[in-house]
Amino acid sequence: MCGIVGYVGNRNTVDVLVEGLKRLEYRGYDSAGICFFTEGGMAVKKEVGKLIQLEKKLAEEKVGGGTGAGIGHTRWATHGEPSVRNAHPHLDCSGRFSVVHNGIIENHAVLKRQLEEEGHRFVSDTDTEVIVHLVEKYFEGDLGEAVRRASLELEGSFALEVMSARVPDEIVAVRRGSPLVIGAGRGEQFIASDVPALISHTREVFWLEEGELAIVRPEGVRVLDSISGDPVRKAFQHVAWDAQQVEKGPFPHFMLKEIYEQPGVIMEMARREVLFQGAPPERRFAGADAVSQIYLVACGTSWHAALAGKRMIEKMTRLRVEVDIASEFRYREPILDSKTITIGISQSGETADTLAALQLAAEKQSAVWAICNVAGSSLTRMAETVFYTQAGPEIGVASTKAFTSQLVALYQLACHLAEVRGTLPVSAQERKDQLSALAKQVQEILQKDEEIRALASEYCQKRDFLFMGRGIHHAIALEGALKLKEISYIHAEGYPAGEMKHGPIALIDREMPVVFLVPQDAVYEKVLGNIEEVRARGGRIIALAEVGDERVATKAHHVIYLPKNNTFLISVLMTIPLQLLAYHIALQKGCDVDQPRNLAKSVTVE
């Protein structure tokens, strides 16, 4: 959701804050603002819209910046419309304290009434403003203690940064629910809601844990338990990413860059087979009765990967697998015990609903595992076993390489578990060879970019799309529809092809494009029958089929041919053209591909 940056040191504070916010634009936002020190004291500048509007304001007002502490924010509106008065940072009545906040304060209405009765004046519609007035109320010379006492009154999830004119070289940060990472430099410190904001300055970082408070000064960071006030020891980690990985390079958009990075990601995953940390999976699979059931919990694109993963794990291990949308999981009283494994899947490792689902699983004695892209994230710290996709930073809001790397990770995991259970005779070397070949096949499909761009030109003005697939390809159909609706704002739905006669067929007419995923598998003939039903009603058919399939060409208006692969890995190949189709349609409609409206990269509140 919102982006947070903070800096204390001797550089030009405004420049550091603006650069950090630029690297967090992918998170989604509708306003931006910064707070910093000038010769005249503490200054706040904020604007509605994209960050460029704030930059224009700073240029028009000839803001040169300053040194010392500074905080910045990109806001995704929850309480109060996008406006300058609702944008962060927010000030207290005296103008001496400033706050930026990611999350939701659930008891803000009660706190606001109390503070107003005590004489505090509010100027925004946000839940955030109560925080800075509480800090003002509790300040008695120690900013850290004032923020700690204020945080104890807050209900909800939040990441906070607070600075004060009273201590111009200090920022106090608190984390409960929403992520915060701190990076160390020489005589300077950096704070952000995600690593990309820091990476051009430092690769030595640590994440605040739940309930921790950091007092950040140029010479170092002191971390406390926000409830007890006791000191907490932290160790810095080295981030493997470099600054080039969060730049577009020769590509016009991050999304296209990340689509083209997929062969390299898959090849890297092939080299290392299954990379996991923590308790080895074998511990849970020592005997046939060691595990009774696996739950896969996730949101959005990761949920689609989980649906595909269910097919892989059940087929290979003969274990029962359930898939849940994480936001529903903990409200349906799932049957969890020590014989279940709950696997959370998240690119960022900070998805609030997925974290809450795994917390419930742990409380019910289920083993908790994770499939994640970000080392050190909340999900990886919560899980006893972590399978890293290590796809590198994904900046585009619409997930691409994170999704395909999750599919590959689930395939590797399914193979590994089946090997432990003795239900799969395929060796590790054979799996490595399979994935190496897959990477080369993805590269072949990327060479069809121009073909897919031409197809997008024909269909970019359509108002609706249907995506159809069976078996594992139902999950890929859902993902293809999601990609299109996310970035082009075209209404799109994914369905199991066998369900078409149970409703969706009513939508078919000459204006309806239908994308069919048609691998030559056990239900190939049945999917061809579904295509005939659409054709008979005038629908426009786009088919993704295996090379050499001449029958589908007699039925579809357009066919994109893909290399052959096994039942599970062909799902990765089916994904690539759908990503490119969505990208080119959105581009031709003039949409903001990397930052689609109303969306955020990481959903860190429920």
Side-chain angles (χ1 to χ4, degrees):
M1 306 288 277
C2 313
I4 287 176
V5 296
Y7 174 71
V8 287
N10 293 316
R11 302 193 199 196
N12 183 307
T13 306
V14 170
D15 289 348
V16 174
L17 296 177
V18 171
E19 179 195 353
L21 291 178
K22 283 182 179 178
R23 294 188 182 275
L24 295 177
E25 284 192 284
Y26 68 89
R27 295 176 70 88
Y29 68 103
D30 44 53
S31 61
I34 58 175
C35 181
F36 56 98
F37 287 103
T38 67
E39 292 182 359
M42 197 163 67
V44 171
K45 303 293 179 183
K46 46 190 182 179
E47 272 297 335
V48 176
K50 295 297 184 184
L51 190 60
I52 187 67
Q53 302 303 322
L54 176 62
E55 290 184 278
K56 287 179 180 177
K57 181 172 189 173
L58 294 172
E60 289 169 1
E61 297 182 7
K62 296 182 173 56
V63 174
T67 57
I71 56 179
H73 190 266
T74 50
R75 176 180 186 250
W76 191 83
T78 53
H79 296 76
E81 65 180 7
S83 64
V84 172
R85 72 190 184 93
N86 287 333
H88 299 211
H90 288 290
L91 298 175
D92 71 310
C93 303
S94 68
R96 295 178 299 176
F97 301 93
S98 177
V99 67
V100 294
H101 161 227
N102 184 13
I104 292 177
I105 306 304
E106 295 173 354
N107 61 334
H108 74 280
V110 173
L111 293 173
K112 183 176 180 178
R113 283 196 298 271
Q114 292 174 352
L115 289 163
E116 285 177 328
E117 290 172 1
E118 294 170 9
H120 293 266
R121 303 181 306 279
F122 287 76
V123 297
S124 78
D125 303 316
T126 69
D127 55 334
T128 300
E129 197 180 353
V130 300
I131 302 167
V132 74
H133 288 288
L134 285 172
V135 173
E136 176 191 17
K137 172 182 176 179
Y138 288 124
F139 184 77
E140 296 177 351
D142 185 332
L143 182 60
E145 179 60 15
V147 174
R148 190 187 73 82
R149 291 179 65 187
S151 72
L152 295 178
E153 296 204 29
L154 304 177
E155 297 175 6
S157 67
F158 51 82
L160 312 176
E161 287 183 339
V162 181
M163 57 182 280
S164 171
R166 296 288 189 91
V167 277
D169 62 347
E170 180 175 291
I171 297 173
V172 179
V174 187
R175 180 258 168 92
R176 188 196 298 165
S178 293
L180 276 178
V181 60
I182 295 175
R186 292 186 177 180
E188 58 184 357
Q189 309 293 330
F190 305 85
I191 316 169
S193 45
D194 206 352
V195 171
L198 314 178
I199 203 69
S200 63
H201 303 298
T202 180
R203 291 165 69 180
E204 302 304 314
V205 307
F206 70 81
W207 282 260
L208 286 183
E209 299 283 356
E210 187 75 1
E212 289 182 345
L213 177 149
I215 299 170
V216 185
R217 295 190 170 194
E219 64 273 15
V221 182
R222 187 159 56 97
V223 179
L224 309 175
D225 182 298
S226 64
I227 296 176
S228 66
D230 294 336
V232 177
R233 296 187 64 180
K234 306 293 288 189
F236 283 91
Q237 303 177 36
H238 183 75
V239 176
W241 304 346
D242 59 42
Q244 287 186 337
Q245 288 180 280
V246 293
E247 300 289 349
K248 288 196 286 271
F251 293 92
H253 300 95
F254 279 110
M255 182 178 179
L256 189 63
K257 173 180 180 278
E258 288 153 8
I259 290 172
Y260 272 78
E261 287 176 340
Q262 289 172 114
V265 170
I266 295 169
M267 186 64 76
E268 181 59 29
M269 295 182 78
R271 287 193 196 100
R272 55 184 170 79
E273 180 51 10
V274 181
L275 178 65
F276 65 85
Q277 292 183 3
E282 289 84 346
R283 194 180 75 185
R284 291 275 173 177
F285 285 79
D289 299 324
V291 175
S292 62
Q293 184 165 281
I294 294 174
Y295 289 93
L296 299 176
V297 293
C299 300
T301 284
S302 297
W303 176 62
H304 298 157
L307 290 171
K310 170 185 169 71
R311 297 276 179 169
M312 300 177 190
I313 298 172
E314 284 191 339
K315 177 73 172 178
M316 294 189 207
T317 69
R318 309 312 300 154
L319 278 167
R320 184 184 300 112
V321 178
E322 286 201 34
V323 177
D324 274 84
I325 296 175
S327 58
E328 297 294 330
F329 182 73
R330 62 194 172 117
Y331 297 110
R332 73 171 183 87
E333 298 184 8
I335 300 170
L336 296 160
D337 57 31
S338 61
K339 286 191 173 185
T340 61
I341 298 173
T342 306
I343 305 176
I345 307 174
S346 169
Q347 187 283 135
S348 67
E350 301 295 349
T351 308
D353 290 314
T354 305
L355 294 174
L358 263 64
Q359 181 63 45
L360 171 67
E363 291 170 0
K364 299 292 186 180
Q365 308 306 311
S366 170
V368 171
W369 294 2
I371 295 175
C372 188
N373 189 37
V374 182
S377 60
S378 298
L379 186 65
T380 65
R381 299 195 303 274
M382 178 184 294
E384 68 178 63
T385 301
V386 182
F387 299 83
Y388 283 109
T389 58
Q390 289 197 328
E394 187 179 68
I395 306 301
V397 167
S399 181
T400 52
K401 65 177 181 176
F403 177 68
T404 51
S405 68
Q406 287 170 351
L407 291 179
V408 171
L410 284 159
Y411 180 74
Q412 290 177 302
L413 174 59
C415 290
H416 185 73
L417 297 183
E419 188 174 32
V420 172
R421 284 174 65 84
T423 56
L424 182 74
V426 180
S427 69
Q429 184 59 48
E430 287 175 292
R431 298 199 295 272
K432 180 178 179 180
D433 293 342
Q434 286 176 341
L435 294 181
S436 297
L438 178 69
K440 294 174 183 176
Q441 290 177 326
V442 171
Q443 189 65 55
E444 287 179 40
I445 296 171
L446 291 174
Q447 293 173 13
K448 297 179 179 286
D449 195 3
E450 281 301 309
E451 175 189 343
I452 296 169
R453 184 178 66 81
L455 188 63
S457 298
E458 184 172 341
Y459 288 96
C460 65
Q461 297 306 318
K462 298 296 183 182
R463 296 180 59 185
D464 304 277
F465 268 75
L466 286 176
F467 291 74
M468 298 283 183
R470 296 196 67 155
I472 194 171
H473 295 99
H474 169 223
I476 308 306
L478 288 169
E479 177 61 13
L482 179 62
K483 286 287 95 61
L484 186 64
K485 72 178 75 170
E486 279 181 321
I487 63 173
S488 74
Y489 318 138
I490 293 173
H491 172 252
E493 298 295 338
Y495 274 94
E499 282 291 292
M500 190 172 65
K501 291 187 289 293
H502 296 274
I505 199 167
L507 300 172
I508 305 298
D509 60 20
R510 296 185 183 277
E511 292 300 313
M512 175 66 78
V514 185
V515 180
F516 276 96
L517 312 184
V518 200
Q520 291 177 308
D521 57 14
V523 290
Y524 172 70
E525 294 290 343
K526 295 186 181 297
V527 177
L528 289 184
N530 297 136
I531 291 175
E532 289 282 14
E533 292 164 346
V534 171
R535 187 179 179 86
R537 288 158 180 80
R540 301 293 293 176
I541 299 160
I542 302 168
L544 274 59
E546 293 182 47
V547 65
D549 185 347
E550 297 180 0
R551 291 181 64 190
V552 77
T554 67
K555 304 175 185 298
H557 298 91
H558 307 275
V559 182
I560 300 171
Y561 283 109
L562 311 175
K564 294 179 179 294
N565 209 312
N566 71 38
T567 302
F568 296 131
L569 292 182
I570 198 170
S571 64
V572 177
L573 301 179
M574 290 280 181
T575 301
I576 310 303
L578 301 183
Q579 295 172 346
L580 288 169
L581 182 64
Y583 172 80
H584 285 298
I585 287 177
L587 200 62
Q588 292 176 40
K589 285 173 62 70
C591 300
D592 189 337
V593 174
D594 283 338
Q595 299 170 41
R597 69 189 182 199
N598 302 334
L599 294 179
K601 184 65 176 174
S602 299
V603 181
T604 56
V605 294
E606 185 177 0

